[in-house]
Structure formats: structure tokens, C-alpha cells
Amino acid sequence: MTRQTLIAGNWKMHGLTEALGFFGAIAPIAAKSPATVLVCPPATLLQQAARACDGTVVRVGGQDCHAAPSGAHTGDISAAMLRDAGATHVILGHSERRADHGERDADIRAKAEAALAAGLVPVICVGETLSEREAGREVEIVAGQLAGSLPENAASVDLVIAYEPVWAIGTGLTASVADVASMHAAIRERLPNPATSCILYGGSVKPDNAAELLGLADVDGALVGGASLNASDFTAIIEAASRKRE
Ligand code: 13P
């Protein structure tokens, strides 16, 4: 069975209405690619982005959701609201959410379950800090995050996991190809559906390193931050992913 290849862009807190031209620029490249192409803009642009992608293969997703279906949670967004706005996926447990909002594994599990209940694919992020890697604890940390944050029914869904070493995010540093290969293998063997689960790498993925990273057997795609803000960089990464299946 072939696992899906997924190239996902995470715009983080970037993007005003004028950024929507991006979708028209990437759609023709995405149409030629065997990879699934997903872009997660800020929530304020989600519905407009979904409309811009209507009739194209490009999908849009959220960057976070609340675990409850609705309620008195000022400023939060439910999974059903993301779905209603046109999302197919939602990023959960990004290290910036863990750091800025104190999200713990149990919160991420609850959010993942809410996402699945609303018909969204959760993209669950894991990754160690530099000090954890320097202490040789990276596999232990990531294994703990997986054990704590995978949804209850993980065995009956095809999961998307994003391995994003915290020290590689926005720094221009990437984990070595050997380190990525061994971490992705370690993640895969801890998943209930290893053969069908999709494991992305994230952390300073750029046009000039995408082919090498995406060439690894256990790397099923990329979660791209900075380079997803620029249509020509992002399409170059989509093209690198297209070569994965050649
Ligand atoms: P950069 O690609 O900017 O390093 O960000 C990675 C990331 O955090 C994607 O979720």
C-alpha cells in the first residue's frame, strides 16, 4: 500500500487578504503533483482561502482547535467551525502552541479526538528541544509525546504526525538526514498503523533541502513554515515531493 505524500504549509500568524493570490499561483503546480497539498492560513483567512481553492486540489486547514464542540471559550475555535469554514485538516500540538499556550499532551489528545469527531484530519506535532537532543533524550521525548497525544481510536484512523525538532524551526538549521531517518523510523514503529500513517518532517524545510529530506523512506512529506509564505518556494517543495514517487 502506498502512503500518501503530504506537503503542508503552516502560515502561523502571517497573512492578510492580499496574500490570497498565493492559492492561484500554487494550484496549477499542485494539480500536477501526486502529493496532497495543504495550506494552513490564519483562521481569519480560512474561509476565503477555501473559496480560492474551490475547484482545485489544494486543501486548507486550521492551525489549532479547541477540544470542546462549542461553549464559553472566548477567542477559541472549534473543530466543527474549522470544518464549516472549509478546512480538511488541523495542525495540533505545534511546539509554538506548547510553548506559548502551555499545551500538554493530554490537551492535544483531546483536540485530536475533537478534530476526528468533526471530520478533520489532525496533524499532530512532536519534537524535542535542543537541550533534550544534546542530552540524548530525543527519542524518549518524542515517544512520550506520541504516547500522550495520540487519540484514543488511533488504531482505526490513518494518522498524520509531524516531527519538528524545536531547534530546527525558523532557525535555518535542519536535523541531519541520518537523524531524520532514525527519528522517523522510531516514530513509525510506535504508531498503531505504521504502514498507512503519514509522517512529515518540519523545521527549516526549503527548496534546497526538500529533495534530500523527502527522499528518505520514512519521510512522507513536509510541514513547511517560512517557505510556505512564498509561492515560488512552496511550489519548488511541491515539485521536490513529486519526484519522490517517480
Ligand atoms: P520553518 O519552516 O519556518 O522552520 O517552520 C517550521 C514549522 O514550524 C512548521 O510548522
Side-chain angles (χ1 to χ4, degrees), residues 7 26 58 63 68 70 73 76-77 79 92 99 113 120 136 143 146-148 151 159 171 175 178 194 202 241 244:
I7 300 299
I26 68 163
V58 179
Q63 299 178 10
S70 62
H73 302 290
D76 278 311
I77 299 174
L92 294 174
E113 288 170 357
L120 296 177
L146 288 173
L159 293 171
T171 58
K244 185 173 172 69

Side-chain angles (χ1 to χ4, degrees), residues 10 12 94 96 164 168-171 202-206 223-227:
N10 174 10
K12 308 189 180 186
H94 192 281
E96 289 152 12
E164 299 203 299
I169 295 175
T171 58
S204 298
V205 176
K206 307 287 178 204
L223 182 54
V224 184

Side-chain angles (χ1 to χ4, degrees), residues 8-12 14 91 94-96 125 162 164-174 201-206 222-229 237:
N10 174 10
W11 282 11
K12 308 189 180 186
H14 297 284
I91 298 169
H94 192 281
S95 62
E96 289 152 12
C125 301
E164 299 203 299
V166 177
W167 50 272
I169 295 175
T171 58
L173 302 172
T174 45
Y201 172 77
S204 298
V205 176
K206 307 287 178 204
L223 182 54
V224 184
S228 74
L229 296 172
I237 295 169

